[in-house]
Amino acid sequence: LDELAGDLKSVKRVFSNSSAQPTSRVLNLVQYIKDVSLFAFMDEEQLRMVASILSEKYLEDGDYLCRQGDAGDEMYIIIQGTVDIIGEADGATYEIDQAGPGDAIGEMAGLVDMPRAATLRVRNKAHVLTIQGADFRSLMQRYPSISDRVIHMMVNRLVSRSNKFHQETAEYVDLEKSNGAAIEKVAV
């Protein structure tokens, strides 16, 4: 029951925010999000409702949206610029991917209560929209098609990153083989 009460509060907040935002700001945000795949199926009224719960961030080169391991409860939609998605392990950092205009990132923290899985760092300047996790979960309840799109987006990323990992592993193995052959020639 407590969970249901929390969900109802989130839904109420989403709808109360929609009437509180200035019309011109909401209409400008609608222009940004109408082509974002998560929301592309929505009509104008639904897009206005989504726009009313978004906030904007303008970031400079090197700014961080979040760091791996941080607590987080917001998702980001990139309007302009590039964001590097960076992993950290054993004191080393490595680039996982890059995100650009129209991409939604940070969705895992918006979906579940878990630490950030990656660091998100701005390259050059960026204009980013944010949506709080509770608001995003309410939208998914109201519009199940968003859930389908999030699942599709996450599966595509998983496949892409898996393919990249396999390609890099194959390149490493080939390099090791060629280095081994060169060492054998020198030894002979």
Side-chain angles (χ1 to χ4, degrees), residues 85-87 94-98 156-172:
I85 303 167
I86 302 165
Y94 55 94
E95 185 175 294
I96 297 171
D97 208 348
Q98 287 184 347
N156 281 342
R157 284 186 188 156
L158 181 61
V159 168
S160 173
R161 290 175 185 161
S162 176
N163 288 341
K164 182 179 175 183
F165 172 77
H166 289 297
Q167 180 181 351
E168 288 173 355
T169 301
E171 290 170 3
Y172 177 78

Side-chain angles (χ1 to χ4, degrees), residues 81-134:
T82 302
V83 174
D84 293 326
I85 303 167
I86 302 165
E88 301 172 19
D90 299 326
T93 61
Y94 55 94
E95 185 175 294
I96 297 171
D97 208 348
Q98 287 184 347
D103 289 336
I105 56 176
E107 70 284 346
M108 290 191 297
L111 293 172
V112 295
D113 183 22
M114 65 180 282
R116 293 284 183 180
T119 295
L120 304 177
R121 185 180 61 213
V122 173
R123 179 182 296 191
N124 301 318
K125 293 183 178 185
H127 177 198
V128 178
L129 303 178
T130 63
I131 183 169
Q132 294 298 312

Side-chain angles (χ1 to χ4, degrees), residues 17-78:
N17 282 348
S18 66
S19 62
Q21 297 293 333
T23 303
S24 61
R25 179 189 173 278
V26 169
L27 292 176
N28 284 340
L29 293 179
V30 165
Q31 293 305 308
Y32 291 137
I33 64 171
K34 71 180 182 178
D35 296 323
V36 173
S37 65
L38 287 179
F39 309 118
F41 68 95
M42 293 181 153
D43 64 31
E44 192 76 17
E45 181 181 330
Q46 294 166 334
L47 289 168
R48 281 195 302 271
M49 194 268 303
V50 171
S52 72
I53 59 174
L54 296 171
S55 60
E56 293 180 89
K57 290 184 180 188
Y58 292 89
L59 302 141
E60 298 294 325
D61 184 42
D63 286 349
Y64 288 86
L65 284 167
C66 63
R67 292 182 186 264
Q68 183 175 321
D70 288 351
D73 187 38
E74 51 184 14
M75 183 180 94
Y76 309 101
I77 300 164
I78 302 170

